[in-house]
Amino acid sequence: MSFTNPILPGAYPDPSICRVGDDFYMVNSSFEMFPGLPIHHSRDLVNWELVGHGLHRKEQCIDPICLTDVQSDGGIHAPTMRYHKGLFYIITTNVYVPQDCPEGFNPCKNFIITAKDPAGPWSEPQVIDGAPGIDPDIFFDGDGRVWYVGTHTPEDQAYPGQGEIWLQELDLATVSLKGERHFLWRGTGGDWVEGPHIYKYNDRYYLMTAEGGTGFNHAVTVASSATITGPYVSNPKNPVLTSRHLGLDYWVNSTGHGDLVQLSDGRWFMVCLGIRNDIEGRSNMGRETHLVPVTWEADHYGIDENKSDILWPVCAPGTGRVEKCAERPFASAPLNDKNHFVDDFSTPELSKEWTYRRVPRAATCEVLPEQKRLRIRSGKPVGERVSASLAGFRQKQSHFRFQATLHLPETFENSESGIGLIQKDDHHLLMSLMKKGANPELAVTLNGEQLAVSELPSGIRDLQLMITCDQNGYHCSYAVATESNSEQIGVIKNIPVNTMLSRYYTGALCCLHSSLDSSLDSSLKSESAIEFVDFSKVRFEPVLTATVC
């Protein structure tokens, strides 16, 4: 029986995994998104449920973890999740550059949060002083010592992009580094050695890293040592996983940044990121989480101090590739539907899949379960460092149909409200209802530039909006929402797919938005702008081009 990669479709990069008994937990990078650090649970490695977030309270994300006005591609990078003596730990980096950045400012804050239950609540972040770089790892050794594994740029850097992995003991009582700092490895010669994880297996320590940057040359490399402080010897078969040798036509690229987990029966698997090759080697979902089996084999070189064979991890034995379809780790597990998203807002709490770009202002969204609606209060439009008035969920498939019904209040004068796809603050496709004269208009904009506009009948109150994507591009349409009418009327067709391709770091959000008309002056906004719009019947579904194993 097979499963389909990715196991977490949508923008879930930099996965880290841990096992507690028969339960698996995984955390991913979230960058500018709030809530941050999404945490999924599984019992079979292929069916995953979003159970919570490590950063789920506004108070966790103000200072020094600034997610209120964080810059694009800043925010939460490459976490590690581990379990030790009844407590879950997440260690990660927040990258924040102030708008008026002082000279010498360190943009990287490495911090720890803890929880007894991965669903939360999670603790306040505790920043680790004197820890440069990104992508920290935490390792609990059998002798009771706890180690911080970090990255930095060495002072004697041999070439641009060369990095180095370092190690130092961590005092959990004070959340501070202590003792000597050890410099472990500079990788195999690739750029940006980062994303370190340390494991102990077969009485040896293994240091696994990501190299080559998070693009086409991305790879997983491994070194090993008899002692945790080194010296580390490089696996002669490095890299243990990459897609850079498979050419530009392979279905996934940029595979790397992996984390290992051992099953209770002794088997091993790796979770890693990869980018679907939709067009130009990129995908609108950005980097997603994939699963590959792992075995251990001796190298027969006898290069350790005892002249005995060292065991090395072998990823995807027999192929060495992240496969689109692969054998399920647990054959009896039924596959859930991970490619659809439906919300009718019938419960008091907003679904965990809804997210924001940065910490939202108070009361941006309100669920109205009796009316089965989500109310969004009109506010700021999408923009750099702005907490825009929107809510979204991660796009899950390349070709899809995304729709929602928009309900207008009795007066509608000064807002732009609708649905859209948002990659970045300056990279988005929006379909927005607005009123410029006697009748409302429905406009489609790409990165703020208007592509098309349709005038609608006066007195319109309920409108079903739809964005679809297929091999011909994006298509925007609407229908006047009544019980007897569902005919879709096109606004624009065939917007080229490459207009919305990911900029590598993050993937698209399918969003509901309501912003005040940016052309209005502040006095008019405060006196006559509408306060909210409502949405209902949100649905995302893939079209039939998606591969199912």
PDB file of all heavy atoms in Angstrom, residues 173-207:
ATOM      1  N   ALA A 173      18.318  25.087  33.558  1.00  0.00           N
ATOM      2  CA  ALA A 173      17.795  25.817  34.716  1.00  0.00           C
ATOM      3  C   ALA A 173      17.839  27.324  34.490  1.00  0.00           C
ATOM      4  O   ALA A 173      16.928  28.055  34.896  1.00  0.00           O
ATOM      5  CB  ALA A 173      18.579  25.441  35.965  1.00  0.00           C
ATOM      6  N   THR A 174      18.886  27.782  33.831  1.00  0.00           N
ATOM      7  CA  THR A 174      19.044  29.219  33.568  1.00  0.00           C
ATOM      8  C   THR A 174      18.872  29.564  32.106  1.00  0.00           C
ATOM      9  O   THR A 174      18.919  30.738  31.727  1.00  0.00           O
ATOM     10  CB  THR A 174      20.426  29.689  34.032  1.00  0.00           C
ATOM     11  OG1 THR A 174      21.444  28.961  33.302  1.00  0.00           O
ATOM     12  CG2 THR A 174      20.617  29.436  35.515  1.00  0.00           C
ATOM     13  N   VAL A 175      18.669  28.541  31.261  1.00  0.00           N
ATOM     14  CA  VAL A 175      18.574  28.695  29.803  1.00  0.00           C
ATOM     15  C   VAL A 175      19.751  29.548  29.318  1.00  0.00           C
ATOM     16  O   VAL A 175      19.588  30.598  28.697  1.00  0.00           O
ATOM     17  CB  VAL A 175      17.228  29.300  29.374  1.00  0.00           C
ATOM     18  CG1 VAL A 175      17.049  29.201  27.856  1.00  0.00           C
ATOM     19  CG2 VAL A 175      16.078  28.618  30.056  1.00  0.00           C
ATOM     20  N   SER A 176      20.945  29.071  29.624  1.00  0.00           N
ATOM     21  CA  SER A 176      22.160  29.778  29.229  1.00  0.00           C
ATOM     22  C   SER A 176      23.237  28.781  28.844  1.00  0.00           C
ATOM     23  O   SER A 176      23.231  27.618  29.280  1.00  0.00           O
ATOM     24  CB  SER A 176      22.662  30.669  30.376  1.00  0.00           C
ATOM     25  OG  SER A 176      22.957  29.890  31.515  1.00  0.00           O
ATOM     26  N   LEU A 177      24.140  29.238  28.005  1.00  0.00           N
ATOM     27  CA  LEU A 177      25.263  28.410  27.577  1.00  0.00           C
ATOM     28  C   LEU A 177      26.347  28.414  28.641  1.00  0.00           C
ATOM     29  O   LEU A 177      26.557  29.418  29.329  1.00  0.00           O
ATOM     30  CB  LEU A 177      25.822  28.939  26.254  1.00  0.00           C
ATOM     31  CG  LEU A 177      24.842  28.944  25.076  1.00  0.00           C
ATOM     32  CD1 LEU A 177      25.447  29.674  23.887  1.00  0.00           C
ATOM     33  CD2 LEU A 177      24.434  27.531  24.685  1.00  0.00           C
ATOM     34  N   LYS A 178      27.045  27.282  28.753  1.00  0.00           N
ATOM     35  CA  LYS A 178      28.126  27.210  29.726  1.00  0.00           C
ATOM     36  C   LYS A 178      29.248  26.334  29.180  1.00  0.00           C
ATOM     37  O   LYS A 178      29.046  25.524  28.266  1.00  0.00           O
ATOM     38  CB  LYS A 178      27.626  26.649  31.050  1.00  0.00           C
ATOM     39  CG  LYS A 178      27.126  25.206  30.987  1.00  0.00           C
ATOM     40  CD  LYS A 178      26.649  24.728  32.352  1.00  0.00           C
ATOM     41  CE  LYS A 178      26.190  23.274  32.315  1.00  0.00           C
ATOM     42  NZ  LYS A 178      25.730  22.811  33.666  1.00  0.00           N
ATOM     43  N   GLY A 179      30.428  26.519  29.739  1.00  0.00           N
ATOM     44  CA  GLY A 179      31.562  25.701  29.349  1.00  0.00           C
ATOM     45  C   GLY A 179      32.153  26.104  28.020  1.00  0.00           C
ATOM     46  O   GLY A 179      31.855  27.164  27.449  1.00  0.00           O
ATOM     47  N   GLU A 180      32.991  25.233  27.499  1.00  0.00           N
ATOM     48  CA  GLU A 180      33.740  25.497  26.269  1.00  0.00           C
ATOM     49  C   GLU A 180      32.850  25.350  25.047  1.00  0.00           C
ATOM     50  O   GLU A 180      31.956  24.503  24.994  1.00  0.00           O
ATOM     51  CB  GLU A 180      34.908  24.519  26.165  1.00  0.00           C
ATOM     52  CG  GLU A 180      35.774  24.678  24.929  1.00  0.00           C
ATOM     53  CD  GLU A 180      36.863  23.628  24.831  1.00  0.00           C
ATOM     54  OE1 GLU A 180      36.980  22.808  25.769  1.00  0.00           O
ATOM     55  OE2 GLU A 180      37.591  23.627  23.815  1.00  0.00           O
ATOM     56  N   ARG A 181      33.093  26.193  24.057  1.00  0.00           N
ATOM     57  CA  ARG A 181      32.416  26.071  22.773  1.00  0.00           C
ATOM     58  C   ARG A 181      33.281  25.235  21.834  1.00  0.00           C
ATOM     59  O   ARG A 181      34.474  25.493  21.677  1.00  0.00           O
ATOM     60  CB  ARG A 181      32.141  27.443  22.167  1.00  0.00           C
ATOM     61  CG  ARG A 181      31.378  27.407  20.840  1.00  0.00           C
ATOM     62  CD  ARG A 181      30.845  28.780  20.451  1.00  0.00           C
ATOM     63  NE  ARG A 181      29.861  29.257  21.434  1.00  0.00           N
ATOM     64  CZ  ARG A 181      29.171  30.380  21.305  1.00  0.00           C
ATOM     65  NH1 ARG A 181      29.336  31.150  20.233  1.00  0.00           N
ATOM     66  NH2 ARG A 181      28.307  30.755  22.228  1.00  0.00           N
ATOM     67  N   HIS A 182      32.651  24.234  21.212  1.00  0.00           N
ATOM     68  CA  HIS A 182      33.372  23.314  20.336  1.00  0.00           C
ATOM     69  C   HIS A 182      32.923  23.541  18.893  1.00  0.00           C
ATOM     70  O   HIS A 182      31.724  23.648  18.610  1.00  0.00           O
ATOM     71  CB  HIS A 182      33.093  21.868  20.744  1.00  0.00           C
ATOM     72  CG  HIS A 182      33.392  21.564  22.181  1.00  0.00           C
ATOM     73  ND1 HIS A 182      34.620  21.153  22.622  1.00  0.00           N
ATOM     74  CD2 HIS A 182      32.586  21.643  23.293  1.00  0.00           C
ATOM     75  CE1 HIS A 182      34.588  20.967  23.933  1.00  0.00           C
ATOM     76  NE2 HIS A 182      33.364  21.265  24.368  1.00  0.00           N
ATOM     77  N   PHE A 183      33.868  23.574  17.983  1.00  0.00           N
ATOM     78  CA  PHE A 183      33.582  23.784  16.567  1.00  0.00           C
ATOM     79  C   PHE A 183      33.703  22.438  15.866  1.00  0.00           C
ATOM     80  O   PHE A 183      34.780  21.838  15.819  1.00  0.00           O
ATOM     81  CB  PHE A 183      34.529  24.827  15.993  1.00  0.00           C
ATOM     82  CG  PHE A 183      34.417  26.146  16.719  1.00  0.00           C
ATOM     83  CD1 PHE A 183      35.358  26.507  17.677  1.00  0.00           C
ATOM     84  CD2 PHE A 183      33.344  26.983  16.482  1.00  0.00           C
ATOM     85  CE1 PHE A 183      35.234  27.704  18.368  1.00  0.00           C
ATOM     86  CE2 PHE A 183      33.215  28.180  17.170  1.00  0.00           C
ATOM     87  CZ  PHE A 183      34.155  28.544  18.124  1.00  0.00           C
ATOM     88  N   LEU A 184      32.572  21.959  15.326  1.00  0.00           N
ATOM     89  CA  LEU A 184      32.463  20.560  14.933  1.00  0.00           C
ATOM     90  C   LEU A 184      32.775  20.276  13.473  1.00  0.00           C
ATOM     91  O   LEU A 184      33.503  19.345  13.153  1.00  0.00           O
ATOM     92  CB  LEU A 184      31.046  20.043  15.246  1.00  0.00           C
ATOM     93  CG  LEU A 184      30.554  20.204  16.682  1.00  0.00           C
ATOM     94  CD1 LEU A 184      29.193  19.519  16.847  1.00  0.00           C
ATOM     95  CD2 LEU A 184      31.564  19.658  17.685  1.00  0.00           C
ATOM     96  N   TRP A 185      32.191  21.066  12.557  1.00  0.00           N
ATOM     97  CA  TRP A 185      32.242  20.650  11.150  1.00  0.00           C
ATOM     98  C   TRP A 185      31.841  21.802  10.257  1.00  0.00           C
ATOM     99  O   TRP A 185      30.988  22.617  10.627  1.00  0.00           O
ATOM    100  CB  TRP A 185      31.267  19.484  10.946  1.00  0.00           C
ATOM    101  CG  TRP A 185      31.477  18.663   9.707  1.00  0.00           C
ATOM    102  CD1 TRP A 185      32.661  18.242   9.172  1.00  0.00           C
ATOM    103  CD2 TRP A 185      30.450  18.132   8.848  1.00  0.00           C
ATOM    104  NE1 TRP A 185      32.443  17.486   8.048  1.00  0.00           N
ATOM    105  CE2 TRP A 185      31.103  17.403   7.827  1.00  0.00           C
ATOM    106  CE3 TRP A 185      29.056  18.214   8.852  1.00  0.00           C
ATOM    107  CZ2 TRP A 185      30.400  16.748   6.816  1.00  0.00           C
ATOM    108  CZ3 TRP A 185      28.358  17.559   7.860  1.00  0.00           C
ATOM    109  CH2 TRP A 185      29.026  16.827   6.846  1.00  0.00           C
ATOM    110  N   ARG A 186      32.475  21.856   9.077  1.00  0.00           N
ATOM    111  CA  ARG A 186      32.118  22.872   8.086  1.00  0.00           C
ATOM    112  C   ARG A 186      31.473  22.256   6.853  1.00  0.00           C
ATOM    113  O   ARG A 186      31.397  22.892   5.796  1.00  0.00           O
ATOM    114  CB  ARG A 186      33.353  23.683   7.703  1.00  0.00           C
ATOM    115  CG  ARG A 186      33.955  24.441   8.876  1.00  0.00           C
ATOM    116  CD  ARG A 186      35.031  25.412   8.457  1.00  0.00           C
ATOM    117  NE  ARG A 186      35.573  26.123   9.612  1.00  0.00           N
ATOM    118  CZ  ARG A 186      36.449  27.118   9.537  1.00  0.00           C
ATOM    119  NH1 ARG A 186      36.912  27.518   8.342  1.00  0.00           N
ATOM    120  NH2 ARG A 186      36.884  27.703  10.634  1.00  0.00           N
ATOM    121  N   GLY A 187      31.002  21.049   7.009  1.00  0.00           N
ATOM    122  CA  GLY A 187      30.301  20.409   5.908  1.00  0.00           C
ATOM    123  C   GLY A 187      31.243  19.847   4.866  1.00  0.00           C
ATOM    124  O   GLY A 187      32.446  19.662   5.098  1.00  0.00           O
ATOM    125  N   THR A 188      30.700  19.615   3.680  1.00  0.00           N
ATOM    126  CA  THR A 188      31.442  18.967   2.602  1.00  0.00           C
ATOM    127  C   THR A 188      31.921  19.947   1.547  1.00  0.00           C
ATOM    128  O   THR A 188      32.423  19.535   0.508  1.00  0.00           O
ATOM    129  CB  THR A 188      30.551  17.909   1.924  1.00  0.00           C
ATOM    130  OG1 THR A 188      29.420  18.558   1.326  1.00  0.00           O
ATOM    131  CG2 THR A 188      30.070  16.871   2.920  1.00  0.00           C
ATOM    132  N   GLY A 189      31.753  21.231   1.803  1.00  0.00           N
ATOM    133  CA  GLY A 189      32.160  22.234   0.829  1.00  0.00           C
ATOM    134  C   GLY A 189      31.014  22.971   0.183  1.00  0.00           C
ATOM    135  O   GLY A 189      31.223  23.877  -0.627  1.00  0.00           O
ATOM    136  N   GLY A 190      29.787  22.613   0.564  1.00  0.00           N
ATOM    137  CA  GLY A 190      28.625  23.321   0.029  1.00  0.00           C
ATOM    138  C   GLY A 190      28.398  24.624   0.767  1.00  0.00           C
ATOM    139  O   GLY A 190      28.960  24.875   1.842  1.00  0.00           O
ATOM    140  N   ASP A 191      27.556  25.475   0.173  1.00  0.00           N
ATOM    141  CA  ASP A 191      27.212  26.739   0.827  1.00  0.00           C
ATOM    142  C   ASP A 191      26.295  26.498   2.014  1.00  0.00           C
ATOM    143  O   ASP A 191      25.487  25.565   2.037  1.00  0.00           O
ATOM    144  CB  ASP A 191      26.498  27.665  -0.162  1.00  0.00           C
ATOM    145  CG  ASP A 191      27.436  28.164  -1.245  1.00  0.00           C
ATOM    146  OD1 ASP A 191      28.652  28.038  -1.076  1.00  0.00           O
ATOM    147  OD2 ASP A 191      26.922  28.670  -2.267  1.00  0.00           O
ATOM    148  N   TRP A 192      26.412  27.377   2.990  1.00  0.00           N
ATOM    149  CA  TRP A 192      25.455  27.513   4.088  1.00  0.00           C
ATOM    150  C   TRP A 192      25.158  26.186   4.789  1.00  0.00           C
ATOM    151  O   TRP A 192      24.020  25.718   4.817  1.00  0.00           O
ATOM    152  CB  TRP A 192      24.152  28.132   3.585  1.00  0.00           C
ATOM    153  CG  TRP A 192      24.356  29.375   2.795  1.00  0.00           C
ATOM    154  CD1 TRP A 192      24.031  29.593   1.493  1.00  0.00           C
ATOM    155  CD2 TRP A 192      24.967  30.597   3.250  1.00  0.00           C
ATOM    156  NE1 TRP A 192      24.384  30.869   1.101  1.00  0.00           N
ATOM    157  CE2 TRP A 192      24.974  31.504   2.171  1.00  0.00           C
ATOM    158  CE3 TRP A 192      25.511  31.013   4.473  1.00  0.00           C
ATOM    159  CZ2 TRP A 192      25.488  32.789   2.281  1.00  0.00           C
ATOM    160  CZ3 TRP A 192      26.033  32.301   4.565  1.00  0.00           C
ATOM    161  CH2 TRP A 192      26.011  33.172   3.476  1.00  0.00           C
ATOM    162  N   VAL A 193      26.169  25.581   5.355  1.00  0.00           N
ATOM    163  CA  VAL A 193      25.912  24.416   6.198  1.00  0.00           C
ATOM    164  C   VAL A 193      25.093  24.891   7.392  1.00  0.00           C
ATOM    165  O   VAL A 193      25.460  25.829   8.097  1.00  0.00           O
ATOM    166  CB  VAL A 193      27.225  23.728   6.624  1.00  0.00           C
ATOM    167  CG1 VAL A 193      28.154  24.661   7.377  1.00  0.00           C
ATOM    168  CG2 VAL A 193      26.932  22.480   7.448  1.00  0.00           C
ATOM    169  N   GLU A 194      23.934  24.265   7.599  1.00  0.00           N
ATOM    170  CA  GLU A 194      22.968  24.749   8.589  1.00  0.00           C
ATOM    171  C   GLU A 194      22.035  23.611   8.950  1.00  0.00           C
ATOM    172  O   GLU A 194      22.251  22.453   8.577  1.00  0.00           O
ATOM    173  CB  GLU A 194      22.175  25.939   8.027  1.00  0.00           C
ATOM    174  CG  GLU A 194      21.448  25.631   6.741  1.00  0.00           C
ATOM    175  CD  GLU A 194      20.888  26.865   6.041  1.00  0.00           C
ATOM    176  OE1 GLU A 194      21.217  27.993   6.462  1.00  0.00           O
ATOM    177  OE2 GLU A 194      20.118  26.701   5.078  1.00  0.00           O
ATOM    178  N   GLY A 195      20.965  23.937   9.692  1.00  0.00           N
ATOM    179  CA  GLY A 195      19.961  22.947  10.063  1.00  0.00           C
ATOM    180  C   GLY A 195      20.520  21.730  10.760  1.00  0.00           C
ATOM    181  O   GLY A 195      20.120  20.598  10.448  1.00  0.00           O
ATOM    182  N   PRO A 196      21.446  21.887  11.737  1.00  0.00           N
ATOM    183  CA  PRO A 196      22.079  20.713  12.339  1.00  0.00           C
ATOM    184  C   PRO A 196      21.136  19.940  13.260  1.00  0.00           C
ATOM    185  O   PRO A 196      20.281  20.511  13.933  1.00  0.00           O
ATOM    186  CB  PRO A 196      23.229  21.329  13.142  1.00  0.00           C
ATOM    187  CG  PRO A 196      22.722  22.682  13.543  1.00  0.00           C
ATOM    188  CD  PRO A 196      21.912  23.145  12.360  1.00  0.00           C
ATOM    189  N   HIS A 197      21.324  18.618  13.284  1.00  0.00           N
ATOM    190  CA  HIS A 197      20.703  17.736  14.276  1.00  0.00           C
ATOM    191  C   HIS A 197      21.742  16.706  14.692  1.00  0.00           C
ATOM    192  O   HIS A 197      22.464  16.166  13.838  1.00  0.00           O
ATOM    193  CB  HIS A 197      19.479  17.015  13.715  1.00  0.00           C
ATOM    194  CG  HIS A 197      18.342  17.917  13.364  1.00  0.00           C
ATOM    195  ND1 HIS A 197      17.719  18.743  14.283  1.00  0.00           N
ATOM    196  CD2 HIS A 197      17.702  18.115  12.188  1.00  0.00           C
ATOM    197  CE1 HIS A 197      16.741  19.413  13.698  1.00  0.00           C
ATOM    198  NE2 HIS A 197      16.711  19.057  12.414  1.00  0.00           N
ATOM    199  N   ILE A 198      21.816  16.423  15.991  1.00  0.00           N
ATOM    200  CA  ILE A 198      22.713  15.380  16.500  1.00  0.00           C
ATOM    201  C   ILE A 198      21.878  14.213  16.999  1.00  0.00           C
ATOM    202  O   ILE A 198      20.851  14.400  17.670  1.00  0.00           O
ATOM    203  CB  ILE A 198      23.640  15.926  17.606  1.00  0.00           C
ATOM    204  CG1 ILE A 198      24.756  16.765  16.976  1.00  0.00           C
ATOM    205  CG2 ILE A 198      24.240  14.795  18.429  1.00  0.00           C
ATOM    206  CD1 ILE A 198      25.804  17.254  17.958  1.00  0.00           C
ATOM    207  N   TYR A 199      22.327  12.995  16.671  1.00  0.00           N
ATOM    208  CA  TYR A 199      21.708  11.757  17.118  1.00  0.00           C
ATOM    209  C   TYR A 199      22.796  10.843  17.685  1.00  0.00           C
ATOM    210  O   TYR A 199      23.961  10.953  17.292  1.00  0.00           O
ATOM    211  CB  TYR A 199      21.018  11.027  15.954  1.00  0.00           C
ATOM    212  CG  TYR A 199      20.209  11.918  15.050  1.00  0.00           C
ATOM    213  CD1 TYR A 199      20.788  12.531  13.933  1.00  0.00           C
ATOM    214  CD2 TYR A 199      18.867  12.154  15.304  1.00  0.00           C
ATOM    215  CE1 TYR A 199      20.049  13.352  13.105  1.00  0.00           C
ATOM    216  CE2 TYR A 199      18.111  12.976  14.475  1.00  0.00           C
ATOM    217  CZ  TYR A 199      18.712  13.577  13.381  1.00  0.00           C
ATOM    218  OH  TYR A 199      17.986  14.390  12.560  1.00  0.00           O
ATOM    219  N   LYS A 200      22.407   9.944  18.571  1.00  0.00           N
ATOM    220  CA  LYS A 200      23.333   8.914  19.042  1.00  0.00           C
ATOM    221  C   LYS A 200      22.796   7.557  18.628  1.00  0.00           C
ATOM    222  O   LYS A 200      21.636   7.222  18.918  1.00  0.00           O
ATOM    223  CB  LYS A 200      23.499   8.975  20.557  1.00  0.00           C
ATOM    224  CG  LYS A 200      24.682   8.131  21.048  1.00  0.00           C
ATOM    225  CD  LYS A 200      24.978   8.352  22.525  1.00  0.00           C
ATOM    226  CE  LYS A 200      26.249   7.601  22.923  1.00  0.00           C
ATOM    227  NZ  LYS A 200      26.559   7.797  24.383  1.00  0.00           N
ATOM    228  N   TYR A 201      23.642   6.806  17.931  1.00  0.00           N
ATOM    229  CA  TYR A 201      23.236   5.508  17.398  1.00  0.00           C
ATOM    230  C   TYR A 201      24.464   4.614  17.315  1.00  0.00           C
ATOM    231  O   TYR A 201      25.541   5.066  16.878  1.00  0.00           O
ATOM    232  CB  TYR A 201      22.596   5.681  16.010  1.00  0.00           C
ATOM    233  CG  TYR A 201      22.141   4.388  15.372  1.00  0.00           C
ATOM    234  CD1 TYR A 201      21.139   3.620  15.949  1.00  0.00           C
ATOM    235  CD2 TYR A 201      22.717   3.941  14.191  1.00  0.00           C
ATOM    236  CE1 TYR A 201      20.709   2.448  15.366  1.00  0.00           C
ATOM    237  CE2 TYR A 201      22.291   2.770  13.590  1.00  0.00           C
ATOM    238  CZ  TYR A 201      21.291   2.018  14.187  1.00  0.00           C
ATOM    239  OH  TYR A 201      20.872   0.850  13.609  1.00  0.00           O
ATOM    240  N   ASN A 202      24.283   3.365  17.735  1.00  0.00           N
ATOM    241  CA  ASN A 202      25.372   2.389  17.641  1.00  0.00           C
ATOM    242  C   ASN A 202      26.640   2.904  18.346  1.00  0.00           C
ATOM    243  O   ASN A 202      27.756   2.731  17.862  1.00  0.00           O
ATOM    244  CB  ASN A 202      25.672   2.061  16.174  1.00  0.00           C
ATOM    245  CG  ASN A 202      26.487   0.789  16.011  1.00  0.00           C
ATOM    246  OD1 ASN A 202      26.281  -0.175  16.746  1.00  0.00           O
ATOM    247  ND2 ASN A 202      27.417   0.792  15.054  1.00  0.00           N
ATOM    248  N   ASP A 203      26.434   3.567  19.511  1.00  0.00           N
ATOM    249  CA  ASP A 203      27.527   4.102  20.337  1.00  0.00           C
ATOM    250  C   ASP A 203      28.342   5.181  19.636  1.00  0.00           C
ATOM    251  O   ASP A 203      29.504   5.417  19.998  1.00  0.00           O
ATOM    252  CB  ASP A 203      28.466   2.973  20.809  1.00  0.00           C
ATOM    253  CG  ASP A 203      27.770   2.019  21.764  1.00  0.00           C
ATOM    254  OD1 ASP A 203      26.929   2.496  22.552  1.00  0.00           O
ATOM    255  OD2 ASP A 203      28.051   0.803  21.705  1.00  0.00           O
ATOM    256  N   ARG A 204      27.758   5.831  18.644  1.00  0.00           N
ATOM    257  CA  ARG A 204      28.437   6.946  17.990  1.00  0.00           C
ATOM    258  C   ARG A 204      27.480   8.138  17.879  1.00  0.00           C
ATOM    259  O   ARG A 204      26.257   7.984  17.944  1.00  0.00           O
ATOM    260  CB  ARG A 204      28.933   6.559  16.584  1.00  0.00           C
ATOM    261  CG  ARG A 204      30.083   5.566  16.568  1.00  0.00           C
ATOM    262  CD  ARG A 204      30.633   5.413  15.155  1.00  0.00           C
ATOM    263  NE  ARG A 204      31.272   6.638  14.676  1.00  0.00           N
ATOM    264  CZ  ARG A 204      32.543   6.949  14.872  1.00  0.00           C
ATOM    265  NH1 ARG A 204      33.339   6.136  15.543  1.00  0.00           N
ATOM    266  NH2 ARG A 204      33.046   8.078  14.387  1.00  0.00           N
ATOM    267  N   TYR A 205      28.054   9.306  17.728  1.00  0.00           N
ATOM    268  CA  TYR A 205      27.282  10.526  17.524  1.00  0.00           C
ATOM    269  C   TYR A 205      27.270  10.859  16.032  1.00  0.00           C
ATOM    270  O   TYR A 205      28.305  10.755  15.346  1.00  0.00           O
ATOM    271  CB  TYR A 205      27.886  11.683  18.311  1.00  0.00           C
ATOM    272  CG  TYR A 205      27.820  11.486  19.809  1.00  0.00           C
ATOM    273  CD1 TYR A 205      28.858  10.854  20.497  1.00  0.00           C
ATOM    274  CD2 TYR A 205      26.709  11.915  20.534  1.00  0.00           C
ATOM    275  CE1 TYR A 205      28.795  10.662  21.871  1.00  0.00           C
ATOM    276  CE2 TYR A 205      26.630  11.730  21.901  1.00  0.00           C
ATOM    277  CZ  TYR A 205      27.679  11.095  22.560  1.00  0.00           C
ATOM    278  OH  TYR A 205      27.608  10.899  23.926  1.00  0.00           O
ATOM    279  N   TYR A 206      26.083  11.248  15.557  1.00  0.00           N
ATOM    280  CA  TYR A 206      25.930  11.597  14.147  1.00  0.00           C
ATOM    281  C   TYR A 206      25.416  13.035  14.048  1.00  0.00           C
ATOM    282  O   TYR A 206      24.429  13.400  14.700  1.00  0.00           O
ATOM    283  CB  TYR A 206      24.960  10.642  13.456  1.00  0.00           C
ATOM    284  CG  TYR A 206      25.534   9.258  13.291  1.00  0.00           C
ATOM    285  CD1 TYR A 206      25.434   8.313  14.313  1.00  0.00           C
ATOM    286  CD2 TYR A 206      26.220   8.901  12.135  1.00  0.00           C
ATOM    287  CE1 TYR A 206      25.978   7.052  14.183  1.00  0.00           C
ATOM    288  CE2 TYR A 206      26.767   7.633  11.989  1.00  0.00           C
ATOM    289  CZ  TYR A 206      26.649   6.716  13.015  1.00  0.00           C
ATOM    290  OH  TYR A 206      27.215   5.471  12.878  1.00  0.00           O
ATOM    291  N   LEU A 207      26.106  13.817  13.264  1.00  0.00           N
ATOM    292  CA  LEU A 207      25.733  15.209  12.997  1.00  0.00           C
ATOM    293  C   LEU A 207      25.188  15.287  11.582  1.00  0.00           C
ATOM    294  O   LEU A 207      25.915  15.028  10.612  1.00  0.00           O
ATOM    295  CB  LEU A 207      26.946  16.121  13.162  1.00  0.00           C
ATOM    296  CG  LEU A 207      26.782  17.578  12.713  1.00  0.00           C
ATOM    297  CD1 LEU A 207      25.681  18.273  13.511  1.00  0.00           C
ATOM    298  CD2 LEU A 207      28.104  18.330  12.836  1.00  0.00           C
TER     299      LEU A 207
END
